Amino acid sequence: MLQNSNKKRIAIFGSTGSIGTQALDVIEANPHLFTAEVLTANSNDQLLIEQALKFQPNIVVIGDERKYNKVKEALASTDIKVFTGEQALEDVAALDCYDMMLAAIVGFAGLKPTLKAVQAGKPIGLANKETLVVAGDIIMQEAIKYRVPMIPVDSEHSAIFQCLVGETRNKIEKIILTASGGPFLGRKPNFLVNVKRDHALHHPNWNMGAKISIDSATLMNKGLEMIEAKWLFDLHHSQISVVVHPQSIIHSMVQFEDGSIKAQMGLPDMKLPIQYAMAFPHRIRNNFPRYDFMRPDTLNFEEPDIKTFRNLYLAQIALEKGGNLPCVMNAANEIAVYAFLRNRIGFLDMTDLIERTMEKITFIEKPGLDDYFESDADARNFAASLIKL
Ligand code: NAD
Ligand code: MG
């Protein structure tokens, strides 16, 4: 077990989100192991203030500068330092005062602070998969350079990471990412064309933020996770496979060269991979409900329907082609999801928008960081222009 004397000081970037709030639950349940040192939010000032008053961090950052005064005033009677703006997120990520970043911002916005934390030598608990989708080569190179552990929080990648403990000398033949299939498993385009926001937001097994819920409904989430896995585990695209497993009990699997397969299992609860990442290499006790093999469920497995859920097909193309294509795809997807959530485009229009953007933006085989930022901006502008956002 971890010692009481050296509590890990956690910086939660994106503390007001689904992952962020669950990370705070883990800290609250284990006050002898962890403290919340930094909390950041984009615009939810009210929740950030409540969290700050409860957890008494050293620093909070509110992204939206219009909310700064309100947060500052609410915390005036405390010692908590309050900063605001995009640059502040990066500056705070580079500070010495914390031990681990929990990267729980959603989307491309998480990239810069995470990169700064890596370059400051901070271990990362990585929920923000988009960081690796956009610039996985650069992030992983920097992680090696600064000897930074990248511990996945995404449940599938946490599962693979857990399966690999003790296997450093053994080659991976392939990994098998499990996918729940989302709320529209088995549906066809004639149904999907009429799907609305609220239906798509309702995931059968997980309660998550809006963006990842839509990504799960379109299967883009699994595509992003294939790319995330490539970088995290240094795999060739041919080693990454997906199987639909609607019950979300097996969180993913690793098949080794001898054909042996390891799986990591449990009831779906994001607090498990969050606390595993925070406490690694230790496991900490909890009283979460346990999976019961005696209950009358069966575990099912089937092939993903990439003809219907074409986002997964597009992500496989991006994974295989590499370069700036995953970055472009991610940017177009962020615009598509944003527009869908505001009822500006239909469910299937999201795929068209992404595909047209991937065709339009110039391919760069070996991009640098600036190329990624430029590709992201170009892809966003082009995608937004298609739907007159
Ligand atoms: P969420 O929308 O619930 O929360 C996002 C957090 O990021 C909030 O705190 C918000 O204030 C902050 N944020 C949003 N935009 C920002 C910006 N421009 N600048 C600074 N901060 C910003 O999202 P979530 O579901 O918690 O997901 C967070 C990340 O974790 C995503 O990358 C997601 O793919 C990944 N993830 C989530 C789950 C899950 O169960 N929710 C599971 C696996 C992976
Ligand atoms: Mg996942």
Side-chain angles (χ1 to χ4, degrees):
M1 273 314 289
L2 294 177
Q3 294 306 307
N4 295 1
S5 53
N6 49 8
K7 287 189 197 181
K8 212 181 259 184
R9 296 164 302 172
I10 311 285
I12 307 182
F13 278 64
S15 67
T16 55
S18 161
I19 294 289
T21 51
Q22 293 181 83
L24 283 171
D25 291 344
V26 170
I27 293 177
E28 189 178 8
N30 298 280
H32 53 300
L33 299 179
F34 308 114
T35 60
E37 181 70 16
V38 176
L39 301 177
T40 88
N42 190 37
S43 60
N44 192 343
D45 48 354
Q46 199 50 49
L47 183 55
L48 183 66
I49 290 165
E50 282 169 31
Q51 292 178 338
L53 291 172
K54 179 166 176 186
F55 288 92
Q56 294 290 317
N58 179 9
I59 295 172
V60 301
V61 185
I62 179 81
D64 184 343
E65 297 180 14
R66 292 165 302 181
K67 308 270 177 89
Y68 172 74
N69 282 337
K70 190 173 161 206
V71 177
K72 182 84 187 148
E73 274 164 33
L75 302 180
S77 62
T78 71
D79 294 334
I80 302 166
K81 301 180 197 75
V82 183
F83 300 107
T84 188
E86 208 180 306
Q87 185 59 43
L89 285 171
E90 286 185 60
D91 295 344
V92 169
L95 292 177
D96 213 24
C97 64
Y98 70 96
D99 300 312
M100 174 183 231
M101 171 190 270
L102 191 77
I105 290 177
V106 60
F108 181 84
L111 170 60
K112 286 187 190 173
T114 307
L115 181 58
K116 276 278 147 57
V118 170
Q119 290 169 339
K122 304 294 184 182
I124 308 288
L126 187 77
N128 177 246
K129 64 191 83 185
E130 294 90 345
T131 285
L132 289 185
V133 171
V134 171
D137 51 347
I138 292 178
I139 296 284
M140 293 313 285
Q141 272 164 26
E142 293 294 277
I144 290 166
K145 182 170 161 193
Y146 292 95
R147 295 169 183 267
V148 161
M150 275 281 178
I151 307 173
V153 167
D154 212 348
S155 56
E156 296 76 1
H157 305 74
S158 176
I160 291 164
F161 188 86
Q162 292 180 54
C163 291
L164 291 175
V165 169
E167 301 281 1
T168 35
R169 287 166 196 275
N170 296 324
K171 278 211 184 118
I172 298 171
E173 192 165 85
K174 68 171 186 175
I175 62 164
I176 302 142
L177 292 171
T178 50
S180 70
F184 306 130
L185 177 61
R187 299 293 192 176
K188 294 292 171 197
N190 62 352
F191 176 90
L192 296 175
V193 72
N194 294 317
V195 153
K196 291 286 176 277
R197 169 187 190 278
D198 290 343
H199 195 182
L201 279 174
H202 191 74
H203 194 277
N205 303 346
W206 304 95
N207 185 6
M208 309 178 286
K211 196 249 173 190
I212 187 176
S213 296
I214 302 304
D215 286 344
S216 299
T218 63
L219 292 202
M220 178 54 92
N221 184 48
K222 212 48 54 182
L224 299 175
E225 289 183 354
M226 292 178 83
I227 301 169
E228 179 185 14
K230 170 190 161 76
W231 295 117
L232 273 174
F233 306 113
D234 193 20
L235 299 171
H236 185 260
H237 61 75
S238 60
Q239 294 172 286
I240 306 169
S241 63
V242 172
V243 64
V244 172
H245 164 46
Q247 295 82 11
S248 299
I249 298 298
I250 294 184
H251 299 306
S252 279
M253 297 173 260
V254 179
Q255 181 173 309
F256 294 93
E257 280 189 311
D258 59 354
S260 178
I261 300 171
K262 275 185 167 180
Q264 187 267 335
M265 307 173 70
L267 290 174
D269 182 344
M270 281 310 295
K271 284 210 273 290
L272 254 173
I274 291 170
Q275 76 165 45
Y276 185 80
M278 280 167 50
F280 179 78
H282 307 282
R283 289 186 182 273
I284 49 184
R285 225 175 125 121
N286 61 41
N287 56 6
F288 306 163
R290 268 50 171 163
Y291 180 68
D292 175 6
F293 277 92
M294 295 306 134
R295 62 182 203 179
D297 281 19
T298 30
L299 301 183
N300 302 100
F301 304 93
E302 59 187 87
E303 217 177 309
D305 177 2
I306 59 172
K307 284 208 176 94
T308 302
F309 295 91
R310 289 192 67 249
N311 278 5
L312 180 55
Y313 167 75
L314 292 177
Q316 286 172 353
I317 302 281
L319 168 72
E320 285 172 30
K321 240 183 137 189
N324 65 339
L325 202 55
C327 167
V328 167
M329 178 192 76
N330 176 70
N333 181 54
E334 289 192 24
I335 296 292
V337 172
Y338 176 92
F340 176 74
L341 283 170
R342 281 154 190 80
N343 299 314
R344 299 284 295 272
I345 59 174
F347 190 82
L348 296 175
D349 298 333
M350 288 192 276
T351 307
D352 291 339
L353 195 71
I354 297 163
E355 187 162 26
R356 285 175 69 184
T357 309
M358 287 170 73
E359 283 164 3
K360 174 73 180 179
I361 303 300
T362 310
F363 180 67
I364 306 172
E365 200 176 341
K366 290 202 178 335
L369 195 58
D370 290 341
D371 296 318
Y372 283 129
F373 291 140
E374 231 168 86
S375 298
D376 173 80
D378 291 350
R380 273 169 206 274
N381 288 336
F382 179 73
S385 75
L386 290 177
I387 48 177
K388 300 185 182 60
L389 262 189

